[in-house]
Amino acid sequence: MPVVFSHLNYIYSIKTPMEFSALKDINLQIEDNSFTMIVGHTGSGKSTLVQQINALLIPTSGIVDVNGIVVDCNVKKLKNIKELRKGVGLVFQFPEYQLFEETVLKDVSFGPKNFGVDNKKATELAKEALNLVGIDESLFDKSPFELSGGQKRRVAIAGVITLKPKVLILDEPTAGLDPQGSREMMKLFTKIKEQGTTIIMITHDMDNVIRYGTDVVVLAKGELIKKCRPYELFLDQDSFNSLSIDEPLVIKMAKRLNQNGYHISLENVIDIDSLVQEIKKEKRYE
Amino acid sequence: MENKAIEISEIEFGYYKDQTIFSNLSLDVNVGEYVCVIGHNGSGKSTLAKLLVGLNEVRKGEIKIFGQVLNEENIYSLRKKIGIVFQNPDNQFIGSTVRDDIAFGLENACVKHEDMEEIIHEYAKKVNMEEFLDKEPGNLSGGQKQRVAIAGTLAMNPSLLIMDESTSMLDPKGKREIRELTNMLRQENKKLTIISITHDIDEALQADRVIVINQGEVVLNDKPEVVFKNEEKLKEVKLDIPFSYKLNQVLNKNNIKVDSVDFEGLVKELCQ
């Protein structure tokens, strides 16, 4: 389901000396079933932005509309908050720190139980989610604290997707994982997206942005700078330099080759294999 | 003058009885060498770091640090020569300001207050954090926090610096800052030995030597340009190879013959 921000402002500690304007007049539509990447410097407002989507933070002014459920500053006690949060799963950074139960299965079924699902059904949903994230049945009765870092993170993510959220928000889900673990994690999100979920992911990894993203949103100092297709971000050298966004090496290579007479279409370059396919199209290799 | 900083010979280790992380591990690091240790999560990299600073004891074999066998008696005197920087920038900020944080180790070592101020300035300057001395950790970026952690470590004047995934929680800019700092430290002090446990392949490319660990065993141990050419072995232990090495391979597989394994070299060959 689409998420629409309109004239949204968010100010931390309003009317105190610590007042800090974290989001300024955000107008943005995140498309249904997109894989939207949110990028920007530390402190640019990325985490503040995504926390508006499930009403962990309530806008100071303006609105956010999640599939018809509108959150604005007038909402004191949100009636549909449960409904909203059922539909929007949020995975914080280093979610493994939030594991707490005695066993993996209990930890993952905590969420649905909390939403009033009965024990049996909750266990069923938990098993299904654990299966999807690739946690073997032999680990279900283990303490989550005995698992490896990568496994813990999978369990934590399983806990969020038990109720099959329509929007899944991920805050730097691959930070601290080894390359293989990181790739498997991205594959998992692609799989979840294919089941119809909208994925919103905060990341610093530009390789993942061009490889998996359908859209990218750039924030700087609380303002929306750009929303575009990932490759479009790198068309204008000056603009991404000033945002201090790292250019993926495949894009950098494609541009260097183009400067030297190649005709590579950046839109098609998402990884090394696609770059080589583009290179092969050149006359000199025919 | 001892020329080995670390000599690990035939060690065996596990955290509890039935666990074996290392069954027979041996490796050496020379004084002044910059070694990157890579391996996937759970390969035993961080365990190695803990053994080197004596946080855990080996079951069999021995670890020599600057020629001395690590044991209960000399651990405290040896630790004075070793600095370690951990992964999470938020877990290792001790002071309430940058100044206090750098001072923490010095205070423990009973350095005179008059000298302390000078040392703090010197190292804050070295890591380019001098103007932040009175700032609180909450107002710093991850890369800045790690630089402060490094300054606090360096202020103790270690001969061996161990970095245990010190950049893995940082954004690309933070990673770059720490890479540049590491390079600068090496230029300044040729005797400083650095062991960096890392996932950052770009960092490993700069090292004198790369050691690949898998399931507690050394599988590759050579110059980066040799290690990263061994794609098969790296794939086997689930590790990535740097961009330019990979591009070289994929091009050759697609019958576009290239020799270079560096970015500029590839551009040149492709544009001939």
Side-chain angles (χ1 to χ4, degrees), chain A residues 42 94 97 176-180 183 204 246 249-250 253 256-257 260 262 272-273 276-277 280 284-285, chain B residues 40-41 88 168-169 171-172 176 199 238 240 243 246-247 250-251 254 256 263-264 266-267 270-272:
Chain A
T42 314
F94 298 97
Y97 292 159
L177 295 183
D178 60 37
Q180 174 95 1
R183 248 194 319 270
H204 286 295
D246 271 1
L249 287 167
V250 281
M253 178 58 83
R256 283 295 298 276
L257 295 176
N260 288 288
Y262 278 62
I272 290 186
D273 289 322
V276 172
Q277 289 314 313
K280 272 171 82 177
R284 67 184 89 193
Y285 298 113
Chain B
H40 63 84
N41 291 113
N88 191 333
S168 74
M169 287 172 80
D171 61 20
R176 211 165 32 230
H199 286 315
K238 301 180 180 177
D240 262 354
F243 171 79
K246 203 166 186 175
L247 181 57
V250 180
L251 284 167
N254 281 278
I256 299 175
F263 193 92
E264 289 308 321
L266 284 167
V267 172
L270 286 170
C271 296
Q272 265 165 12

Side-chain angles (χ1 to χ4, degrees), chain B residues 65-111:
Chain B
I65 309 276
F66 298 110
Q68 287 187 55
V69 179
L70 194 64
N71 59 34
E72 268 174 44
E73 272 133 51
N74 61 19
I75 178 74
Y76 292 101
S77 63
L78 279 177
R79 272 190 197 154
K80 285 187 182 147
K81 298 184 181 177
I82 308 174
I84 183 161
V85 181
F86 294 100
Q87 180 179 24
N88 191 333
D90 292 315
N91 288 355
Q92 52 189 321
F93 218 99
I94 301 153
S96 57
T97 63
V98 169
R99 184 193 308 277
D100 290 351
D101 198 76
I102 301 177
F104 182 79
L106 297 169
E107 281 169 351
N108 280 348
C110 301
V111 173

Side-chain angles (χ1 to χ4, degrees), chain A residues 8-24 42-53 55-61 90 92 171 202 219 221-222:
Chain A
L8 185 137
N9 288 283
Y10 188 80
I11 304 173
Y12 280 104
S13 314
I14 193 167
K15 292 173 189 158
T16 74
M18 300 291 288
E19 186 171 300
F20 174 70
S21 182
L23 291 173
K24 297 165 196 160
T42 314
S44 59
K46 305 186 294 289
S47 296
T48 311
L49 182 80
V50 298
Q51 286 181 62
Q52 315 279 333
I53 303 174
L56 279 181
L57 298 174
I58 306 288
T60 308
S61 68
L90 173 60
F92 285 101
D171 193 347
I202 295 178
L219 293 177
K221 292 180 183 154

Side-chain angles (χ1 to χ4, degrees), chain A residues 11-179:
Chain A
I11 304 173
Y12 280 104
S13 314
I14 193 167
K15 292 173 189 158
T16 74
M18 300 291 288
E19 186 171 300
F20 174 70
S21 182
L23 291 173
K24 297 165 196 160
D25 195 31
I26 303 289
N27 293 292
L28 167 69
Q29 170 150 353
I30 294 173
E31 312 301 335
D32 194 17
N33 202 20
S34 66
F35 200 137
T36 300
M37 302 290 193
I38 316 250
V39 304
H41 247 244
T42 314
S44 59
K46 305 186 294 289
S47 296
T48 311
L49 182 80
V50 298
Q51 286 181 62
Q52 315 279 333
I53 303 174
N54 69 348
L56 279 181
L57 298 174
I58 306 288
T60 308
S61 68
I63 62 158
V64 55
D65 178 337
V66 184
N67 202 31
I69 303 178
V70 178
V71 180
D72 65 16
C73 63
N74 297 321
V75 178
K76 283 282 181 289
K77 193 161 185 284
L78 195 66
K79 277 189 223 134
N80 332 359
I81 203 157
K82 222 172 177 180
E83 204 49 42
L84 173 71
R85 289 191 181 152
K86 244 188 213 177
V88 181
L90 173 60
V91 179
F92 285 101
Q93 221 175 346
F94 298 97
E96 55 273 26
Y97 292 159
Q98 299 170 39
L99 298 171
F100 69 101
E101 266 286 11
E102 284 167 359
T103 71
V104 166
L105 199 57
K106 276 189 190 169
D107 202 292
V108 178
S109 45
F110 177 79
K113 276 188 209 162
N114 217 14
F115 276 113
V117 176
D118 68 62
N119 261 343
K120 203 177 148 217
K121 180 79 182 157
T123 309
E124 218 171 274
L125 288 170
K127 282 184 178 166
E128 207 178 309
L130 282 164
N131 196 6
L132 183 65
V133 301
I135 290 289
D136 194 80
E137 216 163 304
S138 62
L139 301 174
F140 286 6
D141 292 323
K142 284 215 166 164
S143 158
F145 302 104
E146 282 173 30
L147 307 181
S148 79
Q151 287 170 331
K152 276 187 202 164
R153 192 167 297 182
R154 281 164 187 279
V155 171
I157 291 171
V160 176
I161 61 171
T162 42
L163 287 167
K164 305 194 176 71
K166 290 280 174 288
V167 178
L168 180 63
I169 304 168
L170 304 151
D171 193 347
E172 289 200 57
T174 61
L177 295 183
D178 60 37

